[in-house]
Structures are given as structure tokens and as C-alpha cells.
Amino acid sequence: MSAIDFRTEPSRYRHWRIETDGDVASLIMDVDPAGGLSPDYELKLNSYDLAVDIELNDAIQRLRFEHPQVRCVVVKSGKDNVFCAGANIRMLGKATHSHKVNFCKFTNETRLAMEDASEHSRQIYMSAVNGSCAGGGYELALATDHIMLIDDRRSTVSLPETPLLGVLPGTGGLTRVTDKRKVRRDRADVFCSLEEGIRGVKAVEWRLVDEVVPNSKWMEVVAARAHETAARSDRPKDAKGIALTPLERKIEADGVSYSHVEVEVDRARSLATITVRGPSQAVPTSVEAAHALGAKFWPLTVARELEDAILHLRTNEQTIGVWLLRTDGNAQSVLDHDDFLGKANGDWLMREIRHYLKRVLKRLDVTPRSMIALIEPGSCCAG
């Protein structure tokens, strides 16, 4: 398989659509069966592989940065009678162990980004489940704050991995059922043993969903609930978003380079050296000036570049076992930018950047590599 690229943008999406209506956005999953990373399988029934989640991750980021007026995001299916069938079984069957590990890790990080948006950005996610919602599809719904299930005698939620495959749900299903939704553990055990899943009022009684809605009132109630949810948010109604412009990157045989991040790969020593360069310009004089910089504002630029470097190394350079982290630049300039972000935390964009930096660093936390931070003369490890 060729190198996996985590960069994308809406005009290239094959599996998702973003539709906005004032303070509500619909994030519609409509998977192209032929749009997977490999031609060896079809993504039937809104099943997904890494290609689908790369687009989802990008969509979540763009909703936060490019659509500040959006206060509620409704995750929907673009197909009849199926919400999402979960991870594609044939893809998993053909994948190497390391690919499956990276796939599950990235998938759960994407779900966590949805929860982070609801909690910290007040861009609150809900799901409108119309059709079968199984395995990873239900885990997608579990990542939202409110789950609505159509009451049509066919639509169900399920985690069928154990009865069908003899494995446990891999991207947070059991944890979110018991710890987030507070489902009784005995009921969770039964639920995970039912291949057919649970529907209707029983799904509400067991806390697997928040409400069931008759088919005749489905569209009306989903819209009403979305606007009620949006009313609880503090996101600015008239703010102008910033464009997440294409990330410039140069890949060579022995490394990857960006404007402020450089990766050198020494395969003979199983070593990757990641250098993050400090700001090349002074801190903006005002929040408005920072907004004007958009994606070129240093904290946002370096977060985007470092994230892409982490994902590239994690997925495409799996034999590299040691990551050496170093910095280069003016430490005071880094501190000035850090202080600027802290003082401007009431601004929606500065808040987004702070939480984005947090999510990028968490990707390091869960990456199974030996990591060494090197602080030396000329370093700007500060802030």
C-alpha cells in the first residue's frame, strides 16, 4: 500500500458532506463503496476504513475553525435503512496487525475530537440514527452527546463484535456504554452478546439511546432538538471563521519538511528526529491581527504541521522505533505567543487553537514509540 496521506479538504470528500443551516450543521455519512484505501474490498452499508475517518477528522476540524457560528452538529446517514455498519470486516481481515492498531487508534482519537468539541468548544454533537447502527457505527453515535433513534421497528443499535467475531469493540464502545452513558453493567453484558441489537423503547430504558421518535415526526423532531441544543451553546453567532488552507509539505526519501516542522528519518538507526521551529514573526498586536493571520498564526501552523508529522510517522514509518524531539528558535517569542493565547482565551479562535494544541500533544501520548526530548543551546522549549 502506498503512503497514507492524512491531508484532505471538502472538495475531495468521497464519504461525508457538511450542510449548514444557520447555527446547525448536518454531518452526513454517505460512504462511497469504491472509495476505500484499497480496491480489495467494498465499503458497503456505510462501513468504513481509514479513508472514511480521515475525512471525518478533517470535517470536525473545519467545523470548529471555519464555521464558528455552528453550535450543533447532527451526525446523519445519507443512505436508507442504515446509519453505519461499523468498520469494514474485509478490510480488517486483510490488514496487518500494525495497520489495525493505527486504524483503531486514529478512529478513537477522531471520536474523542467530537467529544472535545462538545465539551470545550460548545459545538455540540448529536446523532440521528435512521437505520441499522452496528459496531463502530454505534461507537460513532456514542461519541455524540444525544442519540435519537427512529422508531420504525427496523432500526437498532448494537455492538455485535463478540457474538459475530469473538472480539471486543475496539474504539471505545464498552467504555462509553458503561462510563459515559451509565448503562448497568449486567445490561451492557447482555447488550454486547446480542447480534440483533436493541430497538425502540427498550433502547431508551437501557440508556443506549436518549429518545426514540416515530417515523411520522422524525424530520420535525430532529430539527427541533438540534435547535434546542444549539441554544445551549456560547459560540459567537456572527463570527467569521478562518480557512484551513492546504498544508504544504515536502516528502523526500529521508524525511518530511514543513514551514515550521522538519522530520529527519534515519532508518539504519530506527530514528526519527522531529524539529519544531519557533515563531519567525513577533506576536500579533491584537486578537484581530491574529485572526487576520488565519492559518498562518504560528501556534495554529505548528499544531497542524506537527499533527500531520505524527500521523505520517505513526502510519507510514512503522519500523522507526525512536522519536527524538527537539526545538529551535527564540524561547521568549514562544512565551509571548503562549501568553497571548492565555490572555485572549475568551476569543473563540484562541480557545480553538489551545484545545487543538492539546489534542495534538495527546497524539504523542498514545503513540507507541520511545520518545526523547532534547533541550540544548538554541532550543525554544518553553510555554
Side-chain angles (χ1 to χ4, degrees):
M1 184 182 292
S2 60
I4 296 172
D5 192 349
F6 289 84
R7 301 171 305 165
T8 188
E9 46 89 19
S11 68
R12 295 167 53 195
Y13 289 0
R14 298 182 65 175
H15 309 296
W16 293 90
R17 298 194 307 274
I18 300 174
E19 298 178 358
T20 59
D21 179 15
D23 58 2
V24 173
S26 295
L27 186 52
I28 303 169
M29 186 179 194
D30 194 358
V31 175
D32 177 359
L37 287 180
S38 169
D40 294 341
Y41 51 82
E42 283 188 283
L43 300 175
K44 297 180 179 179
L45 300 174
N46 261 5
S47 62
Y48 59 84
D49 70 349
L50 187 57
V52 179
D53 269 336
I54 287 172
E55 290 185 7
L56 175 58
N57 177 69
D58 186 78
I60 294 168
Q61 289 287 79
R62 292 184 188 278
L63 282 165
R64 293 177 77 157
F65 283 96
E66 298 185 351
H67 300 278
Q69 80 285 356
V70 169
R71 297 174 157 210
C72 176
V73 180
V74 185
V75 182
K76 301 178 178 179
S77 170
K79 301 188 185 301
D80 293 331
N81 301 321
V82 60
F83 179 77
C84 175
N88 186 270
I89 298 300
R90 287 185 173 82
M91 176 274 296
L92 290 173
K94 294 175 179 292
T96 63
H97 175 72
S98 58
H99 181 79
K100 282 184 277 195
V101 169
N102 278 317
F103 164 68
C104 289
K105 192 187 305 293
F106 183 80
T107 295
N108 194 44
E109 287 171 332
T110 305
R111 310 292 192 260
L112 290 168
M114 294 169 59
E115 293 173 330
D116 186 81
S118 291
E119 181 178 0
H120 297 295
S121 296
R122 303 307 295 158
Q123 193 172 69
I124 305 168
Y125 277 72
M126 57 178 285
S127 49
V129 178
N130 182 3
S132 173
C133 179
Y138 182 49
E139 290 176 324
L140 175 64
L142 286 170
T144 66
D145 278 24
H146 189 84
I147 304 175
M148 305 177 70
L149 176 64
I150 194 168
D151 192 8
D152 61 359
R153 298 183 179 275
R154 295 192 308 270
S155 299
T156 61
V157 294
S158 63
L159 290 176
E161 288 88 343
T162 300
L164 289 179
L165 303 172
V167 299
L168 296 176
T171 53
L174 291 176
T175 302
R176 288 186 171 95
V177 163
T178 56
D179 293 2
K180 181 179 180 178
R181 298 200 59 85
K182 308 300 182 186
V183 174
R184 274 175 27 193
R185 292 182 182 272
D186 59 333
R187 286 179 170 175
D189 289 343
V190 172
F191 173 60
C192 292
S193 69
L194 297 175
E195 175 186 340
E196 68 274 16
I198 293 178
R199 64 173 181 255
V201 175
K202 186 175 182 179
V204 178
E205 292 175 350
W206 282 31
R207 303 178 67 94
L208 299 168
V209 304
D210 293 288
E211 61 178 315
V212 291
V213 180
N215 196 3
S216 60
K217 298 182 178 179
W218 178 245
M219 300 293 290
E220 173 188 345
V221 175
V222 169
R225 201 71 71 242
H227 287 291
E228 291 171 7
T229 300
R232 303 200 305 267
S233 173
D234 65 353
R235 286 178 72 83
K237 293 183 178 181
D238 54 358
K240 183 179 179 181
I242 65 163
L244 295 180
T245 51
L247 196 63
E248 296 182 3
R249 180 184 72 182
K250 184 178 181 181
I251 296 182
E252 296 179 320
D254 58 354
V256 187
S257 59
Y258 308 81
S259 66
H260 287 81
V261 175
E262 186 170 354
V263 180
E264 298 177 53
V265 177
D266 185 342
R267 294 186 180 84
R269 300 166 64 193
S270 188
L271 172 68
T273 301
I274 305 171
T275 302
V276 178
R277 288 186 286 273
S280 55
Q281 297 179 336
V283 69
T285 56
S286 65
V287 171
E288 291 74 20
H291 277 254
L293 288 172
K296 294 186 180 297
F297 182 39
W298 178 78
L300 179 54
T301 299
V302 82
R304 296 181 70 202
E305 293 179 353
L306 180 58
E307 179 180 48
D308 189 74
I310 292 168
L311 295 173
H312 172 76
L313 284 173
R314 183 197 283 178
T315 306
N316 300 314
E317 296 285 359
Q318 296 182 24
T319 63
I320 304 300
V322 179
W323 291 6
L324 181 64
L325 307 173
R326 58 184 304 276
T327 62
D328 181 26
N330 187 301
Q332 185 58 53
S333 183
V334 174
L335 289 171
D336 290 343
H337 279 78
D338 194 62
D339 186 57
F340 182 87
L341 285 175
K343 290 181 178 177
N345 195 40
D347 176 73
W348 75 269
L349 179 57
M350 301 305 111
R351 178 173 67 177
E352 289 297 350
I353 293 172
R354 285 165 61 98
H355 285 292
Y356 185 21
L357 284 164
K358 171 196 67 181
R359 296 194 302 278
V360 171
L361 296 177
K362 283 186 175 181
R363 289 196 192 273
L364 285 176
D365 288 341
V366 297
T367 297
R369 302 292 189 275
S370 297
M371 297 187 193
I372 302 170
L374 185 62
I375 302 175
E376 56 193 332
S379 295
C380 58
C381 284

